[in-house]
Amino acid sequence: MAPNFLKSSLENASFNIVFQIMCRCITFLLNAFVVRHVGAKLIGIMNVRLLLMESVILMLTKETFTKACLTNTSEHNWAQVVNLLWLTIPLCSIISFVCGYVWLFFLSADETSQLYYTFGVWSIAISCIIELMSLAVQLVASAFLFVRLKIILESIMIALRTVTFVSIIVFNPENALLAFGIAQLIAAVFYTTSHYVYFYHYIKRLKRHKLKRRLSMSDDGTEEYVESEFPFLSIKEFLPGQLKNHDTYFNKNLSSLTWSFLMQGGLKQILTEGERYIMTFSPLLTLAEQGMYDVVNNLGSLAARFIFRPIEESSYFYFTQMVERSQPLSRQNPAKMYESTNVLRYLFTVVTSIGLIVLVFGQSYSPLLLWLYGGDALSSTLPVLLLRAHCLAVLLLSVNGITECYTHATADSATLNKNNFIMICESIVFLGASYIFVVLFGPVGFILGNCVNMGLRIIHSILFINKRYSVTNEQPLAGLVPKPFFSTCLIVAALVTSCSQAYYFPDKKFLHFFIGVIMFMIVVISWAYENSDLLKLGLNKWLEKRNGDVKRD
C-alpha cells in the first residue's frame, strides 16, 4: 500500500512544531542567560559570525542535496541516491576550508582576537562535515516516514548541545567560544552516530521479523519469501557503492536537479541571511549591537521558526510526492491534484491568519514582551522598534514560506534554472536596500530590507502558482485573503490594544496584558467561526489517526 503522504506530512508538521517550540524556548532562555553572563559582544560573535558560517555550509550542501533527493522518493534507485549524497562530503570540505579561511583572515580583528575564536571557526567546519556523514541515513528516514525518529534525535541533540555549553560557561564565562565549539562537535557526533545505531538495530529487527514470516505457503505448496519495502539490508549499504545497482553510478535527472538547487542555494543564502552578511563584512554595527540585534531578532522570529518552518518542511515533502514537476496540472492524477490544491489553499489561510495576528498584537505588546525578557535594558526605543518591525516581517515571511515552498517543490529543472536570474536580481535589490536602510535608519534597516526581499519573492512565487493553475478552475491563492469577520475583529483588536498600551503601559502591565488576552480570544473565535470547515477537516484527520493507533494497539 502506498504511504499516506498527507497524514505523514501533517504528523511531521505537528511533531516539528512541538519540537521547534521546545528548541526556541531553550534558545530563548539560553540567550537571556548568556547576555547576563558573557555579554552582547560574544553573542554577536557566536550567533551572527559563527552561525552564519554554519548556515552557509549547510545551505550549499545538506539542504541542496536533500531537496533534490526527496523528490518522488517512491521511484528512486537508492544506490544512485546514496552515491549522490556522499558527494556532499568533499563539497562540504572545500566550502568549509574556504569559509574558515575567510572567517579567520578577512574579518575585522575585533572578533578574531577573541579567546578561542579560531577553535570556534574550525569546530563549525568539522561539525558540518560530521553531520553530513549521515546525510544518506537522514534522507532515508525522511523518505520512509520515520517522523518520530527525527524529532527525538534532534531534541536530544539540542538538549546535549545546550547542557554542554551552559555547563562550561557557568564556571568559566570567559571561555564562551570554547564552550560553543565543544558543544557543536559533541552534538554533531551524537547526531551522526545515533542515526547509524538506530538503523543498525532497525535492520536487525527487520531481518528477524522477515524470518518469522518467511514460510508462507503459495498456491502450489512451496515456500515463498516475503520481501520488505525497505531497500537496505545492511548498514554498509548506506555507504557509496555498496548497494546493488545495475544502472549508472549517478542518476542524471537527480544530478541535474541537485545542480539547479545548488545554484539557487547560493542565491537563497544571500536572500535569507543577507543582514548577517552585511553585519559580518561591513563596519555598520559593532559586535555588541549585532548581539543585541540578534537577541531581539530571535525573539521576533519565534513564530516564524517554531510554526512556519516546520509547516514548510512538511509541505515541501507533501507536494513533491503529490505533484509531478514535469507535467501540467491538467494531465496529472485528478484526485491528487484536487487534494493538493485544497491543502495549498488551507495552508495559505492558516499561515496568513497567524501572520496577521502577530502583526496586530505585536505593535502593542512588543514593549511588554521585551520587558519580561530583558528588563528595562530591552525596553528602550530601539529594541521595541526592532520587534515591531519584525512583526511585519513575520507576516510577509508566513506568505513567502508557503508560496516559495510550492514553487520549489513542483517546478521542473528548466524552470528552476530560469528562476536563477530573477533571484540574482532580487539578491542585488535586497542587499542594496538593506545597506541603504541601515545607513538611514540604523539596525531597523535590516528588517525593512528583509521586508523588501520577502515582497519580491512573494510576487515571483505567486506568478508561478497562478500560471500553473491557469489551466484549471482551482484558485488556491484565494486562501491568502482573510475573511471579513476575522478582518473586522483584527481591526477592532488593533484599536483596543493600541489604546491599552498608551494608557496602561508601563504603570498597569497586568491590566494591559489582560485586555490583550480578551481581544486575542475574540479574534481566534472569529477565525474559528469562519473556518469551521478547516477545523472539521483537521479534527477528522486527528480522529482517524487516533482510531488507527487504537486498532494497532
Side-chain angles (χ1 to χ4, degrees):
M1 182 179 295
N4 189 330
F5 294 116
L6 177 57
K7 177 183 176 182
S8 177
S9 298
L10 290 172
E11 184 181 28
N12 191 19
S14 61
F15 276 114
N16 259 314
I17 289 173
V18 173
F19 167 72
Q20 290 293 341
I21 290 174
M22 182 196 71
C23 292
R24 298 318 300 173
C25 288
I26 292 174
T27 305
F28 183 80
L29 297 174
L30 183 62
N31 275 344
F33 175 82
V34 173
V35 167
R36 289 165 174 77
H37 283 75
V38 303
K41 186 174 183 179
L42 282 174
I43 291 181
I45 296 175
M46 293 184 295
N47 291 3
V48 178
R49 294 287 199 265
L50 297 182
L51 291 186
L52 173 63
M53 178 179 166
E54 180 186 51
S55 177
V56 170
I57 296 171
L58 293 182
M59 173 72 80
L60 296 178
T61 53
K62 181 178 180 178
E63 183 170 334
T64 296
F65 283 75
T66 300
K67 277 188 173 182
C69 293
L70 274 179
T71 300
N72 201 13
T73 56
S74 60
E75 298 181 6
H76 274 342
N77 178 328
W78 282 102
Q80 295 176 333
V81 173
V82 170
N83 294 338
L84 182 64
L85 289 174
W86 275 94
L87 290 179
T88 58
I89 300 299
L91 178 63
C92 180
S93 300
I94 295 171
I95 296 174
S96 297
F97 177 80
V98 172
C99 288
Y101 187 83
V102 171
W103 259 247
L104 286 174
F105 300 107
F106 284 87
L107 298 181
S108 62
D110 191 20
E111 65 269 11
T112 56
S113 63
Q114 293 290 323
L115 187 63
Y116 296 115
Y117 176 76
T118 301
F119 175 74
V121 169
W122 291 120
S123 68
I124 288 291
I126 295 171
S127 65
C128 289
I129 296 173
I130 293 173
E131 182 177 340
L132 289 175
M133 288 180 177
S134 63
L135 184 58
V137 192
Q138 296 173 40
L139 187 124
V140 168
S142 297
F144 287 90
L145 312 179
F146 287 81
V147 177
R148 290 180 176 84
L149 174 66
K150 175 184 176 182
I151 305 304
I152 292 172
L153 292 186
E154 290 190 358
S155 300
I156 297 174
M157 181 184 69
I158 293 292
L160 184 63
R161 185 166 56 197
T162 302
V163 169
T164 303
F165 179 74
V166 172
S167 299
I168 296 176
I169 67 170
V170 164
F171 301 103
N172 298 288
E174 68 278 3
N175 294 341
L177 289 175
L178 174 65
F180 178 85
I182 292 175
Q184 286 287 127
L185 291 172
I186 291 176
V189 170
F190 164 80
Y191 194 62
T192 291
T193 55
S194 58
H195 272 89
Y196 281 106
V197 169
Y198 176 85
F199 276 98
Y200 171 79
H201 290 287
Y202 175 80
I203 292 172
K204 200 173 180 180
R205 291 197 309 269
L206 194 63
K207 287 181 178 179
R208 287 200 302 264
H209 180 66
K210 288 166 69 175
L211 284 174
K212 293 179 182 179
R213 299 181 57 194
R214 188 167 184 173
L215 296 177
S216 74
M217 302 303 293
S218 63
D219 294 338
D220 56 1
T222 58
E223 294 182 355
E224 187 176 89
Y225 188 72
V226 181
E227 291 289 345
S228 169
E229 293 181 357
F230 194 72
F232 297 87
L233 302 178
S234 168
I235 198 68
K236 292 181 181 179
E237 293 180 347
F238 288 107
L239 301 177
Q242 299 299 311
L243 200 61
K244 290 183 179 180
N245 180 27
H246 302 292
D247 298 322
T248 57
Y249 198 75
F250 295 111
N251 182 285
K252 183 178 179 181
N253 292 331
L254 274 184
S255 301
S256 175
L257 190 61
T258 302
W259 178 253
S260 298
F261 278 120
L262 180 61
M263 294 296 99
Q264 281 205 343
L267 298 172
K268 187 178 179 181
Q269 177 66 18
I270 297 175
L271 291 172
T272 55
E273 301 284 2
E275 70 270 15
R276 291 191 180 189
Y277 280 109
I278 295 175
M279 284 190 282
T280 299
F281 295 101
S282 72
L284 293 176
L285 299 180
T286 65
L287 283 173
E289 289 175 328
Q290 292 176 29
M292 186 60 66
Y293 173 86
D294 185 75
V295 170
V296 177
N297 181 60
N298 282 328
L299 189 60
S301 58
L302 284 175
R305 292 179 185 271
F306 71 66
I307 295 179
F308 298 140
R309 183 173 294 176
I311 292 175
E312 291 166 21
E313 291 176 354
S314 299
S315 300
Y316 179 85
F317 175 74
Y318 170 76
F319 288 125
T320 56
Q321 309 307 308
M322 297 294 290
V323 182
E324 295 183 24
R325 294 178 182 271
S326 58
Q327 294 291 335
L329 293 181
S330 58
R331 296 182 182 178
Q332 299 197 26
N333 185 306
K336 286 187 175 182
M337 195 272 287
Y338 178 76
E339 180 186 302
S340 61
T341 301
N342 285 335
V343 169
L344 182 59
R345 184 173 64 253
Y346 287 142
L347 284 171
F348 283 149
T349 299
V350 171
V351 298
T352 303
S353 301
I354 294 173
L356 288 170
I357 290 173
V358 170
L359 175 63
V360 167
F361 287 90
Q363 303 309 305
S364 300
Y365 288 91
S366 291
L368 178 60
L369 181 59
L370 288 169
W371 178 81
L372 290 172
Y373 183 56
D376 295 332
L378 287 181
S379 299
S380 58
T381 302
L382 179 58
V384 171
L385 187 59
L386 283 170
L387 191 54
R388 284 174 171 167
H390 262 298
C391 295
L392 174 60
V394 167
L395 172 60
L396 296 175
L397 190 64
S398 67
V399 177
N400 175 73
I402 298 301
T403 55
E404 199 167 73
C405 159
Y406 183 85
T407 300
H408 288 169
T410 62
D412 56 23
S413 297
T415 303
L416 291 173
N417 289 329
K418 290 178 182 178
N419 291 343
N420 286 340
F421 176 74
I422 297 176
M423 293 189 71
I424 291 174
C425 297
E426 291 174 349
S427 302
I428 295 173
V429 172
F430 167 52
L431 293 176
S434 295
Y435 190 88
I436 293 172
F437 287 152
V438 169
V439 172
L440 295 175
F441 307 112
V444 180
F446 283 121
I447 304 174
L448 298 178
N450 205 30
C451 290
V452 173
N453 165 29
M454 291 297 114
L456 292 175
R457 291 163 67 177
I458 289 170
I459 293 172
H460 173 59
S461 298
I462 284 179
L463 290 175
F464 170 83
I465 296 172
N466 190 56
K467 181 180 179 181
R468 192 157 177 79
Y469 276 93
S470 62
V471 296
T472 71
N473 295 323
E474 304 292 340
Q475 294 182 333
L477 292 173
L480 292 172
V481 181
K483 296 182 179 179
F485 186 41
F486 173 67
S487 302
T488 302
C489 289
L490 277 176
I491 295 172
V492 173
L495 295 174
V496 172
T497 54
S498 295
C499 293
S500 174
Q501 195 267 335
Y503 285 103
Y504 299 125
F505 186 83
D507 297 329
K508 299 179 180 179
K509 298 182 181 68
F510 180 78
L511 179 58
H512 177 49
F513 173 76
F514 181 74
I515 292 173
V517 170
I518 297 299
M519 296 310 302
F520 178 77
M521 291 175 62
I522 292 173
V523 168
V524 170
I525 291 172
S526 69
W527 185 89
Y529 174 76
E530 286 189 317
N531 294 277
S532 57
D533 56 335
L534 177 55
L535 293 177
K536 289 178 182 178
L537 176 63
L539 180 61
N540 290 335
K541 292 294 180 182
W542 180 78
L543 290 175
E544 288 176 8
K545 179 182 180 301
R546 184 182 179 185
N547 293 334
D549 292 340
V550 170
K551 289 179 180 179
R552 284 194 295 269
D553 294 339

